């Protein structure tokens, strides 16, 4: 019976088993919880590092964009945690007003009822019930993928404590005169029956028409003069709400109509012709109907000329009572009928094809109706100016930098923010209307009576707040604002401003800009930990914003359900493991460059994970063999940066120097958000230096025989183990599961910490790197590479061990002499002969440092060789003929990209040379 092997790792790397186990373990152990600090922490380089997770919609499922964003955040968070910063990554979900309401509405419709039938209270309770059952799906996926967030701090934007902040923000802005209610043109979705923000309208080019309609001119007595003024419109149904027609004051075609009036067709209303410089003389006929209730420009025009606004549609975009015979008709039905009626009355001057941008509701794709309605607004100044200063003065830094300019450009043109939505799911606006005095009461506690006249007939506004109003407050509200008292201000003091926001460009205006506005505005009132006033520098919600790129498909197409090219991260993870997918994303993530997600690369990184696994197994096998001959090994001494003495073997000094150099570069890359550089450095170090070279050399030193010098074996093994252990720590933020599993096995399940994530990140020591080791190793590597190439060229059999001649400077000769064991093993050399010049007749390879030749007399089977060469020559001749005819075909050479043509020419050249060589070889063969 054999005793179980210590360090037992299963033979095959199976990510699923490892990852499920650790994902569950990390959550259960609360491994990434960051308690409220007992005392104020310095916000220096060792200070807290805080990221707020952009809250996914509670209705959402994890897509590739999330996984990418979470991978980048998690790498940074794990890296900072291992660098010794107190680290906090706060997770949560957004209640997503419109999206969630739509989803639950669809459900109850399928059950044969509607929200209107259900009533508001029952409907909202139903949404809460849905949220309790299904609302955690996306966070559950994050847990499975190992995101190292503090789950104890999970929030939901409708939570009680966050709702308190929403209410306080509204009331405070109202008291400060920065929230007002007014009738303005908003984007109205007739399906969702709510106002939606400019950002929630998607514009599609649409082939429509421009209808030209003749409005009769009338004289002072109201009689038609027989003349017409022709207007052009893309939405004829809105003419029912016309209050005037505007022309440019200098438009020579219409000078004689100044001061005249018109009769509005179909309606009969007498409307004036007005002069306004805003009118474009080139658009349509140069005469523009004015419909203040249905167009933002017309609304502004109506305000300038003091016209009433006549709203002709109801909430569902059906014509209302103002529309006379058309009332009750859907807007598009009304359009058809109005055009038909005008035609019959000979008032339709023409119909022209016209391509216009039609706005659709981002949620339900219904055509948006610009429409006058009574809404709540945030007066954007002085909030916007402060938010502009925060970026201009350098208190918030954007990466890539260009997004700072995009942000400023948008902020400088920002309009007042419509914050009310006609939904049921969301934070209800804390404003009460009084039917007696018609005034509004806005209070922190629900009022029982009108604050102005005392009436108890007051009713609360039915509107809720825009979702972005609550998510815009998150950086202050998750840390306790507005209830920041001497006793509970620890979180705010420690974590505000947060360090970094990692997010996508698509919510730069929706969310990032609003957090900056609201954060700067409200945090400024919170005193600093030392009691001093807070300036703008410390009022910002985050110090840095990193805007990540988009994940596209392998052909650089945007992933979309309609195209059917969506890659589901959970499926890919099942196939290749989270670590391989994370590594793929990281290796392609350079700032500002979209990712073309390619499965082939994930396959490659799955192989990389496997390589790490196998290296671990090889290491453990040797540690165990060492134990058998009494070499004990104290893994607890690990955890620092490996170092070796000057008398250590070259490969030990070299791999340690390589590790230090790699660690320095990886740390720098992460500081600059160069995830791609960091991942590639790690890959090159481990696969290239560690496995391909170091591991092969160290095998020479791991002597467990009876005659072994155990001190030397132990020294070699110590370097091996400590470099490998440090490598695991270096890779851990990128491949958290694999490194966790191997690290625990390395310590025989008795590790010095609960998790590798709680150990220290490798930092290069300040002492000078062992430059001579790097140089010497480089010489040996290039010598070995050249010998391998020569062997192939002159056809040395794979297993044959052969002598070599090397000419090298006398200064470098000791390097070869001292390491001839390495050359012999790695290049299958029997004897390294140092010479002053390579012997005549040997074919040599030369570099700037050495000449080398392999001594080999091949015994050949002349018949077989003749056959082989004849075959190869025939094959080459055919290939050359093909290439020549392709290159002589001008149809091909003019169309193909120049680099393709150049490549073909080069290949052809090489083939011609090879052909010559084969012919010479054939001639040189002795007769059979
Ligand atoms: Zn809609
Ligand atoms: Zn009142």
């Amino acid at each position: 019976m054999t005793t179980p092997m210590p360090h037992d790792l299963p033979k095959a790397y199976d990510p699923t088993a490892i990852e499920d186990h650790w994902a569950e373990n990390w959550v259960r152990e609360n491994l990434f919880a960051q308690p409220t600090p007992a005392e104020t922490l310095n916000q220096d380089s060792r200070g807290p590092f805080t990221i707020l997770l952009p809250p996914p919609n509670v209705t959402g499922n994890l897509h590739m964009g999330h996984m990418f964003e979470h991978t980048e955040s998690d790498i940074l968070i794990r890296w900072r945690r291992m660098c010794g910063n107190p680290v906090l990554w706060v997770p949560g979900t957004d209640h997503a007003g419109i999206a969630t309401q739509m989803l639950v509405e669809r459900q109850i419709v399928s059950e044969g009822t509607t929200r209107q039938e259900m009533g508001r209270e029952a409907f909202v309770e139903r949404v809460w019930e849905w949220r309790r059952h299904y609302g955690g799906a996306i966070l559950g996926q994050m847990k499975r993928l190992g995101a190292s967030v503090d789950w104890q701090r999970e929030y939901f934007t409708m939570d009680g404590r966050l709702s308190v902040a929403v209410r306080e923000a509204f009331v405070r802005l109202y008291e400060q005169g920065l929230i007002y209610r007014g009738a303005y043109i908003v984007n109205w979705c007739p399906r969702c029956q709510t106002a939606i923000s400019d950002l929630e309208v998607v514009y599609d080019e649409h082939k429509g028409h421009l209808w030209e309609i003749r409005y009769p001119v009338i004289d002072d007595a109201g009689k038609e003069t027989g003349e017409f003024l022709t207007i052009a419109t893309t939405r004829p149904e809105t003419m029912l709400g016309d209050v005037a027609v505007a022309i440019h004051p200098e438009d020579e075609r219409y000078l004689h109509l100044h001061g005249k009036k018109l009769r509005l067709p179909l309606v009969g209303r007498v409307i004036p012709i007005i002069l306004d410089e805003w009118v474009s003389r080139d658009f349509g006929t140069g005469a523009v109907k004015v419909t203040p209730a249905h167009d933002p420009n017309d609304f502004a025009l109506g305000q300038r000329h003091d016209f009433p606004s006549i709203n002709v549609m109801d909430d569902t975009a059906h014509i209302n009572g103002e529309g006379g015979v058309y009332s009750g008709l859907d807007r598009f039905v009304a359009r058809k009928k109005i055009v038909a009626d005008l035609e019959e009355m000979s008032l339709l001057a023409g119909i022209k094809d016209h391509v216009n941008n039609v706005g659709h509701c981002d949620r339900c794709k219904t055509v948006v109706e610009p429409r006058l309605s009574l809404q709540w607004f945030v007066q954007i100044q002085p909030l916007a100016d402060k938010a502009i200063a925060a970026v201009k003065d350098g208190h918030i830094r954007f990466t890539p930098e260009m997004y700072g300019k995009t942000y400023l450009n948008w902020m400088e043109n920002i309009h007042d923010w419509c914050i009310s939505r006609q939904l049921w799911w969301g934070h209800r606006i804390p404003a009460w209307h009084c039917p007696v005095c018609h005034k509004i009461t806005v209070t922190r506690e629900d009022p029982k009576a009108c604050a102005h006249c005392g009436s108890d007939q007051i009713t609360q506004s039915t509107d809720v707040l825009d979702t972005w109003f609550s998510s815009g407050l998150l950086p202050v509200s998750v840390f306790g604002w507005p209830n920041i008292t001497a006793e509970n201000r620890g979180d705010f003091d420690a974590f505000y401003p947060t360090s970094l926001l990692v997010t996508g460009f698509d919510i730069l205006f929706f969310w990032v800009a609003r957090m900056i506005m609201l954060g700067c505005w409200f945090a400024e009132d919170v005193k600093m930990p030392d009691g001093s006033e807070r300036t703008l520098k410390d009022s910002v919600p985050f110090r840095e914003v990193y805007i990540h790129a988009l994940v596209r498909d392998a052909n650089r197409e945007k992933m979309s359900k309609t195209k059917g090219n969506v890659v589901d991260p959970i499926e890919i993870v099942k196939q290749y493991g989270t670590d391989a997918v994370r590594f793929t994303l990281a290796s392609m993530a350079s700032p500002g460059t979209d990712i073309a997600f390619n499965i082939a690369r994930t396959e490659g990184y799955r192989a990389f994970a496997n390589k790490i696994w196998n290296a671990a197994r090889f290491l453990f096998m040797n540690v165990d063999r060492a134990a058998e001959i009494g070499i004990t090994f104290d893994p607890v001494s690990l955890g620092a940066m490996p170092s070796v003495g000057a008398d250590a073997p070259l490969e030990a000094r070299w791999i340690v120097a390589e590790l230090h150099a790699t660690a320095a570069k990886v740390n720098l890359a992460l500081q600059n958000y160069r995830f791609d550089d960091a991942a590639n450095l790690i890959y090159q170090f481990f696969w290239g230096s560690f496995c391909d070279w170091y591991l092969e050399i160290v095998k020479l030193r791991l002597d467990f025989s009876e005659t072994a010098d155990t001190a030397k074996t132990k020294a070699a093994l110590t370097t091996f183990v400590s470099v490998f252990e440090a490598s695991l720590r270096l890779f851990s933020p990128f491949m958290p599961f694999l490194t966790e599993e191997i690290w625990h096995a390395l310590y025989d399940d008795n590790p010095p910490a609960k998790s590798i994530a709680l150990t220290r990140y490798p930092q290069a020591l300040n002492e000078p790197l062992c430059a001579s080791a790097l140089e010497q190793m480089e010489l040996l590597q290039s010598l070995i590479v050249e010998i391998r190439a020569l062997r192939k060229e002159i056809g040395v059999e794979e297993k044959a061990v052969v002598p070599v001649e090397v000419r090298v400077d006398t200064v470098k000769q000791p390097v070869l002499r001292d390491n001839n064991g390495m050359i012999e093993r790695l290049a299958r050399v029997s004897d390294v002969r140092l010479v002053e010049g390579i012997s005549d007749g040997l074919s040599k390879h030369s570099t700037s440092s050495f000449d080398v030749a392999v001594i080999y007399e091949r015994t050949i089977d002349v018949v077989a060789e003749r056959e082989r060469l004849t075959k190869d020559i025939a094959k080459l001749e055919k290939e050359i003929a093909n290439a020549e005819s392709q290159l002589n075909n001008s149809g091909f050479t003019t169309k193909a990209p120049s680099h393709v043509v150049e490549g073909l020419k080069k290949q052809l050249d090489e083939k011609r040379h090879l052909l010559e060589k084969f012919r010479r070889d054939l001639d040189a063969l002795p007769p059979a």
Side-chain angles (χ1 to χ4, degrees):
M1 213 187 108
T2 53
T3 48
M5 286 252 286
H7 313 293
D8 204 8
L9 273 191
K11 198 161 180 201
Y13 163 57
D14 172 12
T16 322
I18 299 176
E19 293 179 2
D20 284 340
H21 166 75
W22 288 114
E24 192 268 334
N25 173 281
W26 295 337
V27 174
R28 192 185 59 229
E29 294 284 329
N30 268 318
L31 205 66
F32 306 116
Q34 176 61 59
T36 301
E39 53 192 289
T40 306
L41 301 159
N42 289 330
Q43 294 224 351
D44 57 18
S45 62
R46 282 284 165 275
F49 184 80
T50 310
I51 297 183
L52 188 66
L53 173 80
N57 283 354
V58 67
T59 50
N61 269 302
L62 198 99
H63 55 59
M64 215 53 183
H66 290 124
M67 180 156 184
F68 180 46
E69 183 173 288
H70 299 171
T71 297
E72 291 184 325
S73 301
D74 198 42
I75 288 172
L76 292 173
I77 276 280
R78 285 175 180 270
W79 168 60
R80 291 282 187 179
R81 184 184 291 117
M82 291 178 76
C83 286
N85 297 77
V87 159
L88 176 59
W89 187 12
V90 190
T93 42
D94 191 282
H95 65 279
I98 285 191
T100 315
Q101 175 158 332
M102 269 179 67
L103 187 141
V104 177
E105 248 185 303
R106 263 202 301 268
Q107 258 180 14
I108 58 174
V109 165
S110 75
E111 291 162 16
T113 176
T114 64
R115 80 178 152 104
Q116 286 80 4
E117 273 169 36
M118 242 177 142
R120 183 166 188 150
E121 217 169 295
F123 178 77
V124 169
E125 185 38 50
R126 176 67 189 263
V127 182
W128 274 109
E129 194 188 306
W130 178 90
R131 188 251 164 184
R132 278 190 289 272
H133 278 97
Y134 309 105
I138 194 162
L139 296 186
Q141 290 171 319
M142 276 186 81
K143 283 177 187 163
R144 167 58 187 79
L145 298 183
S148 69
V149 301
D150 182 349
W151 290 111
Q152 291 185 322
R153 291 177 184 268
E154 180 189 332
Y155 64 82
F156 178 52
T157 47
M158 290 278 280
D159 282 346
R161 68 186 176 102
L162 297 192
S163 300
V164 167
V166 170
R167 179 121 180 206
E168 174 65 26
F170 185 93
V171 175
R172 211 180 275 191
L173 288 170
Y174 184 79
E175 288 171 352
Q176 289 165 340
L178 296 175
I179 280 184
Y180 63 92
R181 189 167 181 250
Y184 287 87
I185 298 288
V186 295
N187 302 298
W188 183 268
C189 174
R191 214 285 334 162
C192 300
Q193 293 181 36
T194 177
I196 57 177
S197 105
D198 290 349
L199 298 165
E200 287 161 328
V201 179
V202 278
Y203 289 91
D204 286 338
E205 275 207 345
H206 175 83
K207 276 191 197 138
H209 300 291
L210 200 57
W211 285 274
E212 294 181 349
I213 306 169
R214 311 199 305 167
Y215 285 16
V217 180
I218 54 173
D219 61 18
D220 293 343
K223 263 189 68 190
E224 293 184 10
T225 63
E227 194 183 355
F228 295 93
L229 182 54
T230 303
I231 58 96
T233 177
T234 57
R235 290 152 72 210
E237 66 281 9
T238 60
M239 69 181 284
L240 302 173
D242 284 2
V243 296
V245 168
I247 52 176
H248 194 280
E250 283 150 29
D251 192 334
E252 293 186 350
R253 292 171 291 182
Y254 303 126
L255 291 175
H256 66 289
L257 292 177
H258 290 193
K260 294 272 166 45
K261 289 193 161 67
L262 303 164
R263 173 161 288 122
L264 180 61
L266 310 175
V267 180
R269 189 159 51 237
V270 174
I271 58 174
I273 295 170
I274 58 162
L275 309 177
D276 199 291
E277 289 184 342
W278 170 81
V279 177
S280 157
R281 275 170 280 189
D282 309 326
F283 179 76
T285 58
V288 178
K289 65 200 245 344
V290 180
T291 324
H294 291 278
D295 180 277
N297 293 316
D298 292 13
F299 181 74
L301 227 137
Q303 297 270 298
R304 280 203 290 283
H305 296 270
D306 212 13
F307 284 124
S309 299
I310 302 172
N311 188 345
V312 298
M313 287 184 209
D314 65 13
D315 290 357
T316 59
H318 285 67
I319 305 298
N320 65 17
E322 292 285 348
V325 295
Y326 304 99
S327 102
L329 296 180
D330 170 80
R331 53 184 164 165
F332 298 122
V333 177
R335 176 179 298 178
K336 272 204 182 120
K337 189 158 173 15
I338 283 169
V339 170
D341 289 352
L342 288 169
E343 185 155 32
E344 211 181 289
M345 296 161 77
S346 302
L347 293 176
L348 196 62
I351 305 177
K352 294 193 169 138
D353 287 341
H354 179 72
V355 176
N356 55 342
N357 275 324
V358 177
H360 293 80
C361 169
D362 192 23
R363 288 287 156 203
C364 73
K365 311 302 171 209
T366 304
V367 174
V368 163
E369 191 66 34
R371 175 172 177 263
L372 189 70
S373 78
L374 207 51
Q375 302 286 348
W376 292 88
F377 291 83
V378 170
Q379 181 189 307
I380 218 66
Q381 292 299 5
L383 279 79
D385 276 347
K386 228 180 241 291
I388 288 169
V391 172
K392 272 198 174 152
D393 298 351
H395 304 312
I396 298 175
R397 200 171 69 102
F398 280 86
T399 303
E401 242 171 86
M402 59 164 183
Y403 288 113
K405 288 191 195 83
T406 313
Y407 163 85
L408 287 174
N409 191 24
W410 189 74
M411 285 300 292
E412 276 155 7
N413 294 293
I414 191 172
H415 302 295
D416 283 2
W417 172 16
C418 173
I419 49 168
S420 45
R421 297 289 182 271
Q422 288 63 51
L423 300 172
W424 284 357
W425 176 241
H427 296 100
R428 198 159 166 183
I429 290 186
W432 280 258
H433 303 280
C434 173
V436 182
C437 72
H438 301 290
K439 287 185 176 159
I440 291 172
T441 303
V442 171
T443 53
R444 287 173 178 80
E445 299 297 327
D446 289 4
K448 295 207 163 44
C450 172
H452 309 281
C453 74
S455 160
D456 61 359
Q457 301 292 302
I458 52 171
T459 50
Q460 186 173 4
S461 164
T462 52
D463 291 353
V464 299
L465 286 163
D466 178 9
T467 300
W468 302 99
F469 188 84
S470 51
S471 54
L473 287 165
L474 283 171
V476 289
S477 60
V478 293
F479 298 123
W481 187 87
N483 296 313
I484 295 170
T485 61
E487 292 76 44
N488 68 1
R489 56 175 301 149
D491 278 350
F492 201 91
D493 287 348
F495 304 123
Y496 195 92
T498 63
S499 315
L500 173 68
L501 177 74
V502 179
T503 192
F505 169 74
D506 54 336
I507 52 175
L508 180 59
F509 308 135
F510 270 126
W511 192 47
V512 182
R514 271 140 199 191
M515 282 192 288
I516 299 177
M517 282 193 281
L518 296 175
C520 291
W521 189 255
F522 291 114
E524 207 167 38
D525 294 338
V526 181
K527 291 247 171 20
M528 292 295 284
D530 64 4
S532 61
E533 293 297 325
R534 190 176 288 266
T535 61
L536 188 56
K537 169 179 162 284
D538 295 307
S539 303
V540 296
F542 26 74
R543 303 216 179 271
E544 301 211 9
V545 180
Y546 175 75
I547 301 284
H548 60 68
L550 278 182
V551 184
R552 296 170 178 270
D553 76 1
N555 302 316
R556 298 204 166 274
E557 297 273 335
K558 208 168 167 177
M559 289 190 192
S560 87
K561 276 186 194 148
T562 35
K563 275 189 220 150
N565 62 346
V566 176
V567 178
D568 177 359
I570 301 296
E571 282 307 310
I572 301 293
V573 159
K574 270 188 201 153
Q575 251 178 301
Y576 299 100
T578 309
D579 286 331
V581 181
R582 280 173 71 114
F583 208 86
T584 309
L585 292 169
S587 73
M588 300 175 86
S590 66
T593 313
D594 283 351
I595 286 188
F597 188 84
N598 193 336
I599 272 298
R601 284 191 70 152
T602 311
E603 269 169 32
Y605 292 127
R606 169 74 164 73
F608 180 54
N610 215 36
K611 187 99 179 163
I612 301 173
W613 186 266
N614 289 337
R617 283 176 49 83
F618 176 72
L619 171 68
F620 296 165
M621 187 185 80
N622 282 289
V623 169
D624 295 336
R625 281 178 67 193
E628 281 166 27
I629 62 159
I631 300 176
T632 54
F633 187 77
D634 179 16
V636 181
S637 64
L638 298 170
M641 267 315 261
S643 62
V644 286
D647 55 343
L650 175 61
E651 81 279 357
R653 286 180 285 129
W654 170 72
I655 197 68
V656 167
E658 284 276 299
L659 174 69
H660 280 254
T662 306
K665 287 183 208 154
V666 170
N667 277 290
L668 190 67
L670 288 177
Q671 257 164 39
N672 295 317
Y673 306 109
R674 293 305 303 255
F675 302 94
D676 54 340
D677 287 349
N680 295 328
L681 282 162
I682 282 171
Y683 185 89
Q684 293 305 336
F685 169 76
F686 195 78
W687 199 305
S689 304
F690 191 83
C691 289
D692 284 353
W693 291 98
Y694 174 74
L695 217 89
E696 292 306 316
I697 302 165
V698 84
K699 284 175 183 168
L700 289 170
R701 322 283 183 206
L702 299 175
D703 183 356
F704 303 106
S705 65
E706 280 174 20
T707 55
D709 178 343
T710 50
K712 277 190 177 163
T713 306
K714 181 169 177 169
L717 195 56
T718 305
T719 305
F720 187 5
V721 175
S722 63
V723 170
F724 184 75
E725 193 272 354
S727 304
L728 290 178
R729 285 183 282 124
L730 192 68
F731 309 165
S732 174
F734 298 83
M735 304 183 123
F737 293 105
L738 171 71
T739 51
E740 184 83 305
E741 177 77 12
I742 297 176
W743 187 79
H744 280 262
L746 174 66
Y747 285 100
D748 262 339
D749 284 329
N750 189 22
K754 265 190 183 171
S755 163
I756 190 172
L758 304 182
T759 62
R760 288 289 161 264
Y761 203 66
Q763 303 291 337
L765 299 178
N766 282 330
E767 68 200 35
L769 290 173
C770 195
S772 68
L774 294 174
E775 234 169 68
Q776 291 173 11
M777 192 63 194
E778 204 180 312
L779 172 67
L780 291 167
Q781 283 175 314
S782 77
L783 181 65
I784 290 165
V785 167
E786 294 303 338
I787 297 173
R788 284 174 181 164
L790 270 169
R791 288 177 61 115
K792 210 171 233 164
E793 252 174 57
I794 59 176
V796 180
E797 288 135 56
E798 190 75 12
K799 285 192 178 140
V801 179
V802 292
V804 293
E805 280 186 3
V806 184
R807 187 217 50 82
V808 68
D809 297 349
T810 42
V811 217
K812 288 174 180 154
Q813 285 182 0
V815 181
L816 270 54
R817 239 177 252 126
D818 294 348
N819 295 285
N820 60 1
M822 192 190 296
I823 302 165
E824 286 167 12
R825 184 185 164 92
L826 268 61
R828 292 187 185 276
V829 168
S830 58
D831 180 17
V832 180
R833 299 179 190 161
L834 294 175
V835 295
E836 280 183 16
I838 302 293
S839 306
D840 288 343
L842 291 178
S843 61
K844 64 179 180 185
H845 273 195
S846 300
T847 71
S848 55
S849 336
F850 59 82
D851 301 321
V852 60
V854 170
I855 303 166
Y856 185 59
E857 283 289 326
R858 206 152 48 116
T859 51
I860 46 171
D861 174 343
V862 175
V863 177
E865 188 65 4
R866 187 182 298 281
E867 207 172 289
R868 183 180 73 86
L869 282 169
T870 312
K871 229 188 203 168
D872 286 352
I873 287 169
K875 186 165 163 249
L876 270 175
E877 282 170 344
K878 202 170 163 197
E879 284 173 7
I880 289 168
N882 281 344
E884 280 171 346
S885 84
Q886 198 171 13
L887 284 169
N888 287 334
N889 176 357
S890 62
F892 168 76
T893 47
T894 49
K895 270 187 210 139
S898 62
H899 73 268
V900 171
V901 176
E902 283 313 306
L904 276 175
K905 281 186 184 158
K906 221 174 136 198
Q907 280 175 14
L908 180 59
D909 254 9
E910 282 162 12
K911 280 180 180 154
R912 281 177 179 150
H913 279 271
L914 204 59
L915 181 64
E916 270 170 42
K917 181 179 181 296
F918 284 177
R919 282 182 176 152
R920 275 198 312 269
D921 290 352
L922 189 62
D923 287 346
L925 281 179

